[in-house]
Amino acid sequence: MRSTGVTHDDSRLDDVFASPLVFSVMAALTGNVELEFRTLRRVLQCESAALSGAINALRAAHCVKVRKETLGDFSQSWVCATLLGDDAFVAHLNALEEIASGRA
């Protein structure tokens, strides 16, 4: 790969969001959105196990919270971003935008 000669400080990029699926989960939950697990899986077109792993990584980083709801024998898991997660994701997006625009 040929170098463009442009360097940037990527220290503001958050490694938590490095995975495309983790990034997509946070993008889907931006704006105070709460989604049921199966809906999120359909929106992101991914396997349940992969989505569970992404959600667990985000939970470990305190970026999302999961709410379980049981109706009789039926159980649902609802996922939403935390305030910390929202702030971290916005900062990550801002850093990406600066890098992409050449301002970084």
Side-chain angles (χ1 to χ4, degrees):
M1 184 170 166
R2 204 174 92 193
S3 172
T4 62
V6 177
T7 61
H8 58 82
D9 175 20
D10 63 359
S11 64
R12 291 178 300 134
L13 294 177
D14 194 326
D15 290 341
V16 171
F17 309 119
S19 157
L21 184 54
V22 168
F23 184 94
S24 296
V25 169
M26 284 305 294
L29 298 175
T30 297
N32 202 25
V33 173
E34 182 180 48
L35 292 173
E36 197 271 328
F37 181 89
R38 287 172 300 173
T39 301
L40 189 55
R41 182 176 49 82
R42 282 192 302 270
V43 167
L44 299 178
Q45 300 178 359
C46 63
E47 297 295 325
S48 294
L51 181 56
S52 290
I55 290 170
N56 285 335
L58 288 166
R59 283 177 78 182
H62 306 286
C63 290
V64 299
K65 59 184 175 181
V66 177
R67 177 175 61 86
K68 304 260 184 194
E69 189 175 272
T70 304
L71 302 168
D73 293 337
F74 187 67
S75 178
Q76 292 181 316
S77 296
W78 294 83
V79 186
C80 67
T82 63
L83 184 57
L84 175 70
D86 273 338
D87 289 347
F89 191 63
V90 166
H92 183 78
L93 290 176
N94 287 340
L96 285 173
E97 185 177 329
E98 287 182 13
I99 291 167
S101 70
R103 295 181 305 210

